[in-house]
Every structure is written in structure tokens, then in C-alpha cells.
Amino acid sequence: MKMPSGRLFIVFITLISIMMLLFVSLTSIQVFKSNVYQKKADSRAISNDHIYAKRGKILDRKESVVADIAPERQGKEKGKWIWEHLRIYPHGHLGSQILGKVGRDGRGNAGLELNFDKDLRGRSGFERYVRSAGGREYYLLSEVKSLAIPGNDLVLTLDMQMQDIVENALKNGVEEFKAKSASAVIINPFNGDILAAATYPTFDPNEKKSNVKKCDIFSLAYEPGSTFKVVTAMAALQDNLVDPKSVWHGEKGVWVISKDIKIREHDSKDLGDMDMSMALAKSSNIVFAKIADSVGADNFYKFVRNFGFGSRSMEEIPGEESGQFKKPHQWSGRSLKTMGFGHEFLATPIQMAMVFGAIANGGYLMKPRIIKEWRDYEGKKIQETKPDTVRQMVSESGASQLREMLRGVVQGGTAKQVNSKILPGIEFSGKTGTAEKYSKEKKGFDRSKQVASFVGLAPSVNPQYVCMVLLDEPQTRTAGGVTAGPIFRRIMESIYMHPELSPKTYRLQNIENKLACNLNLQGKTLEDAEKLASVHSCHLEVSGAGEKIVSTLRMSSDSMKVFLGEDRVLSMPELKGLSLKDALNILGDSHIPVEFEGKGRIVEQYPAAHSTLERGQVCKLVLKENV
């Protein structure tokens, strides 16, 4: 055989080398690394798709949905559709400080949404699908590997109708008294249910860039001032340490205990000699300092701690404060006396509300309750939070005596402005408070900044509600009786005039007929509404801008707030085919309650498009996917 020439030989050797390299590579791929390349091939042909678990709803005590989910397709990222599961809050700002907010990642970042994120979020799943060489997905060949489990539904004790009344009253109160903020809470004294709780200013969780604001009812530690005098009175009555009929010397407004210790009335005013009931009505610092002294340091400390001061009242609300109550060995020579009228320690509004709840219900301290029950995604109850009685703090007889004393505070004491002129036969009771604010910077109390408060029972006999109102740094007037007290009255008047909330519904017909503002102004122009209101001596407060009145809110017997909007909101717009978010934006100015079911796009709406919207009408929407 003749050997090839030099050039051909080089070509021949090159070809042989290439063939050997291909053989070695092929052997490596097929034999030694077959598993590696098989996995790479599978990863390109077979992919897993995330299956979203629907977040559970949050409902109020009357089954009104206050938080739900509305998924919206946003666009493609790296060739795949990305979904943002938008949390919808149909009531807007109502209850937002309690509910909190959900981030774009679908996780709660404040309030109940944060605290119960795991229960509400559920468990995500995944789905496997096959992709062709061209990248096309074949879901017909899919195999579900893990089903998504929807989150549980949370039912609250809150009542959104009552919440609306409270938040409107707080907003008006801040504006009237030029306060930094205002807060209120309403509880059922017999089971501890929180029916409404809010602070103004607030925020709308539907707005992505809104800043979360805490509710001061739980997060504010403040010096309770004179509202705490009921605790001192209770401690004295419970152990029969003080006869409530005993008369105490008023010290002509200044009690000189020693060279360094002096206890003064407000403005050093001489209130005269008085018994416990009169001292509570006049809010005497001196008498309650003497009563605390009679109770004694150990007894006083034990009683106050048993009421929960210095400890958190509940675990459901993130950021709740515990207050601050020092042990007796940390007290100064004046501490016991000043604590007797609510100074030199810190409490929270919810703690004070529960104190008055014990007075209202016969002496039992209840644990505040905001979670009513949990349900699974099919609506089946899986857990119920039952009322929890912590302990009996005072006898029924002692509680009854205190209720009568609190009635005297409103009838002839520091809270006369709490008396209602539009609720015949209904009496309120309660206690006023004004105290200096604690400054963390100064590590002491700031005399230039005050907190005004009122805690009341409604009605004074057989109370159904306990309501606390607190104003932070009011500027026009600072006393609790002329600031927080009137706000309490307005809240209760609105509740009593509400056909579903009033504990005295049989009185409503008589009350309605006597009201100057018993007018239906919805749909009228502002000019026509003002003419009609003038005839009936009804004062109108105008909010918003637009051609006609789209909603009204009666503030008292002779005043009404009217909301202006565009004429288009007086008839039902066409909503079919829209996302829930877009529909809510369109309906946003109409102040119409919205109920909805399903997800995706709107396929049905009630009332029908272009029909006239009646006063108090509810809009119902049905949504479906892939339409």
C-alpha cells in the first residue's frame, strides 16, 4: 500500500483526530454524563408553574367583606405571565389601621394582615407542563403535583357601620379642636368585643403608596389622668377601705404634705369639702390622692396590676403597647398620691376602656376580643374565639355605686356637654380626663402637650356600649369634658339614630319625626338642597366637589354633612368586562357599598347599567375568569 503524500497525510490525520474526539465526546455524553444532560433536556422540556393560593377574606361581624383578593394579569417577564394578586379593601380607609395592608408579594406587612399572614395566605402549589422545541406549552400533558390550599377566612368583631360613624366623628373632632389626632374605641362590655376602633388621620390600604398608620387605641402609651380616678375608687370600694359617704377636706385647693410635696387641684381651685361621688363629679385631685393614700401602696399596686396595667391587653394587634407601671420600691414620696388621680405612670386607651367595661357589666374585667372566628375556604367554622373573663375586680354592688357616680359626672359635673338634646329619655355617664404627655426625649412629662379624654357608658342604666374618645394635643380647648366629651356624644347620637345599631330602636320613629335634618337630599343640586335645608333649619356641611349630592351623613338633629360628586355617579355605570379594581375606581365617588363574588372580570352587575341609584343601595358584582 502506497502512503499518501505529505499534504494528504496531514488531512488524513486531522480527520482521524476529529473522529476520535467526536467518539470520546459522544461516549462521555451517552455513558458518563447521560444523567446530567438528561436533566438539562428535561428542564427545557418540562417546567413547573407556581399555583397561587387565594388569600382568605376578612369579614366584619355582619358578614360584610372588608378585605378580599382580586388577581390581575400585569404582563410578561422572561417570557412568562406575571400575576399581581391585588388585595382589595371595599370599605377603603374604614378599619384600615386594624386590618393593615398586603404588599405586592402577597404577604401582610401591617396589622392583622401581618399578624395572621400565615393563616390568611394559605399554601401555594405547583403544576408541571411540557414545552415543545419551539417553546410552546402543552397543558394537556400537565400533571398537578401539589394543589394550592386557599387561606382561611377571618371574621372580626368590628362593625363597619359603627366604624364609619366613629371615623367621621374623629375627623370632625380633629378639625374642630385643631388636634394632632383623635382616637376612639367602642366595646361591648359584656363580652369584650371591640365594635369599632380608629385613629384619625388614617390611610387607605387600596392606595399602593399610602403609609401605614397605627391605631393609638392600642399603640399609644399616655398618662390617663382623671379617667383613672374610677380605678382608685374601685380599689377603695372593693376592700371596704373607704366609706364612699365619708367627707374629705378639700384643703382649699392646695394640699401641703411637706416642704417638697404639694397636691393641687386644677388651677389650685378650692372645690370645698366633698364625698367620693362629689369628688368624682368635680374631678378632685386632692380627694383621690387621699383615697389612694388610705388604700395603701401594696393594696393599690396589687389592684392596679390585676387590672392589667403594665401588661399588654391582647396579642392580635402588632405594635400594642403595655404602658408603664413601676413597683412600689421605685416610687417617690408623692407617687402613690399622684397615681391616685392618674399621673406618674402610663396606660393605653384599650386598658382604660376595659376598666369602664368592668364598671358597666357588674365588675368583671373582660379580655378585649377582636377575632370572632376563623373559617376554612369552604366557609366552615374551624375556630371560635370565645369571650374571656379575666377576673372579677369589684362586686356588683360596688360597680352599681360607680355607675351612679359616673352618671353624676355628666349630669352635674365636668362632663355636662355630654348630655344629649336629641335623644329624649337617654342618659349617658362617664369620666373626663386631661393629662400631660410623656416625652421620650425629655424622659418626663411635657407640660406644653396634653391629652384630653372621655370614657363613657351608653346608656347610664343597663349600659350596652362603652366608648372611649381621646384627643392628642388639642389646641382650641384642652379639657376632656369640652373636647373628647362632645365627640363621644355625637358618636352615640349617631348610633342611637341608626336603625340597625340603636339599642333603643323603638324610640327611632319618635326621634326621626322631630329631627330638623330628616331630609333626603341625595341627587339634588347643592343650591336646591340648601333651600330645602333652610326651610327645615338644617345646617349643611359640604364636602367634595361636583354637580350634585351623591351621599349624606346626619351629624346631629340640626346638621347634616353632604358629599358632592359628578352627576354620572347617580346612575349605575356599565361595569361588565372590567376588573374589580377598575370598577371600584369608577364607583369610588358614589359612596355606594359594594359586594362582590368570584374573581377575574365582571360578568354580572346589580343594579343594571344606567339604572338610577337609590339612597342606601348596595352594588353587587359577579366576577369570572377567562371571559
Side-chain angles (χ1 to χ4, degrees), residues 13 47 64 108 124 132 148 167 169 277 316 396 446 497 527 621:
I13 293 300
S47 299
S64 176
S124 300
S132 69
E167 293 197 23
S277 181
E316 292 84 353
E396 171 58 52
D446 188 341
M497 290 189 291
E527 182 181 359
L621 306 174

Side-chain angles (χ1 to χ4, degrees), residues 239-257:
D239 293 327
N240 297 315
L241 297 172
V242 173
D243 181 355
K245 298 298 183 182
S246 296
V247 176
W248 304 81
H249 183 37
E251 307 291 345
K252 296 184 178 181
V254 181
W255 182 22
V256 181
I257 301 170

Side-chain angles (χ1 to χ4, degrees), residues 273-314:
D273 299 342
M274 63 204 96
D275 62 10
M276 184 186 290
S277 181
M278 184 62 70
L280 196 66
K282 293 184 177 182
S283 201
S284 169
N285 294 339
I286 291 174
V287 170
F288 278 94
K290 291 183 175 183
I291 293 174
D293 218 23
S294 298
V295 172
D298 290 339
N299 289 333
F300 186 82
Y301 175 78
K302 182 180 178 181
F303 191 83
V304 172
R305 286 291 294 166
N306 280 342
F307 244 127
F309 291 96
S311 303
R312 294 181 64 184
S313 299
M314 54 197 301

Side-chain angles (χ1 to χ4, degrees), residues 292-487:
D293 218 23
S294 298
V295 172
D298 290 339
N299 289 333
F300 186 82
Y301 175 78
K302 182 180 178 181
F303 191 83
V304 172
R305 286 291 294 166
N306 280 342
F307 244 127
F309 291 96
S311 303
R312 294 181 64 184
S313 299
M314 54 197 301
E315 301 297 326
E316 292 84 353
I317 307 295
E320 183 194 357
E321 291 284 343
S322 61
Q324 184 184 90
F325 195 77
K326 297 178 182 178
K327 294 181 179 180
H329 72 270
Q330 298 172 302
W331 296 357
S332 69
R334 61 180 292 123
S335 293
L336 176 59
K337 299 172 179 62
T338 56
M339 286 178 178
F341 52 91
H343 289 240
E344 209 173 316
F345 70 96
L346 301 176
T348 64
I350 188 63
Q351 289 171 345
M352 289 306 305
M354 302 316 293
V355 166
F356 281 75
I359 296 172
N361 67 28
Y364 294 90
L365 174 64
M366 303 298 297
K367 184 176 181 180
R369 183 174 73 151
I370 200 165
I371 305 299
K372 186 177 180 182
E373 66 186 40
W374 284 94
R375 300 172 184 171
D376 64 17
Y377 64 93
E378 294 179 335
K380 181 181 178 181
K381 184 193 299 184
I382 56 177
Q383 183 181 340
E384 181 180 2
T385 305
K386 295 184 178 180
D388 185 0
T389 303
V390 180
R391 61 179 61 89
Q392 186 172 13
M393 294 300 300
V394 68
S395 66
E396 171 58 52
S397 174
S400 178
Q401 291 180 71
L402 283 165
R403 288 196 296 271
E404 185 60 28
M405 291 181 193
L406 292 175
R407 179 175 173 273
V409 175
V410 175
Q411 297 306 312
T414 58
K416 294 178 183 178
Q417 291 196 28
V418 172
N419 282 304
S420 175
K421 298 180 180 179
I422 67 173
L423 296 175
I426 300 297
E427 290 185 350
F428 300 133
S429 60
K431 184 68 188 80
T432 58
T434 309
E436 296 164 359
K437 285 185 68 176
Y438 182 80
S439 172
K440 291 183 179 179
E441 293 76 19
K442 295 182 178 181
K443 296 182 179 180
F445 294 96
D446 188 341
R447 294 180 180 274
S448 66
K449 297 179 180 179
Q450 294 179 309
V451 173
S453 61
F454 180 83
V455 195
L457 281 56
S460 59
V461 179
N462 299 321
Q464 301 298 306
Y465 300 126
V466 169
C467 176
M468 176 176 190
V469 177
L470 182 146
L471 274 171
D472 190 3
E473 298 183 27
Q475 300 300 312
T476 55
R477 306 177 77 178
T478 59
V482 295
T483 54
I487 297 175

Side-chain angles (χ1 to χ4, degrees), residues 11 18 59 68 104 126 130 144 185 294 371 444 450 605:
V11 172
I18 291 171
L59 305 94
D68 206 344
R104 292 190 63 180
F126 66 89
V130 176
V144 175
V185 60
S294 298
I371 305 299
Q450 294 179 309
Q605 65 176 75

Side-chain angles (χ1 to χ4, degrees), residues 28-29 31-43:
S28 175
I29 292 171
V31 179
F32 300 107
K33 297 183 178 180
S34 60
N35 291 337
V36 175
Y37 287 98
Q38 181 64 45
K39 289 180 180 179
K40 287 185 178 181
D42 288 346
S43 68

Side-chain angles (χ1 to χ4, degrees), residues 1 23 111 140 143 210 256 342 402 410 428 471 490 502 531:
M1 181 178 176
F23 176 78
L140 293 175
E143 180 184 3
S210 61
V256 181
L402 283 165
V410 175
F428 300 133
L471 274 171
R490 294 164 194 165
S502 175
K531 290 179 180 178

Side-chain angles (χ1 to χ4, degrees), residues 519-572:
L519 306 172
N520 183 2
L521 303 180
Q522 188 169 350
K524 298 183 181 298
T525 64
L526 180 58
E527 182 181 359
D528 290 342
E530 287 177 335
K531 290 179 180 178
L532 182 60
S534 177
V535 172
H536 290 81
S537 300
C538 175
H539 171 70
L540 297 186
E541 179 184 339
V542 181
S543 178
E547 298 178 358
K548 293 187 178 180
I549 296 171
V550 297
S551 182
T552 62
L553 176 66
R554 192 161 56 214
M555 308 303 295
S556 66
S557 62
D558 58 357
S559 66
M560 177 183 288
K561 189 172 185 178
V562 296
F563 300 87
L564 295 177
E566 298 301 322
D567 189 43
R568 61 182 177 83
V569 301
L570 297 176
S571 63
M572 187 66 178

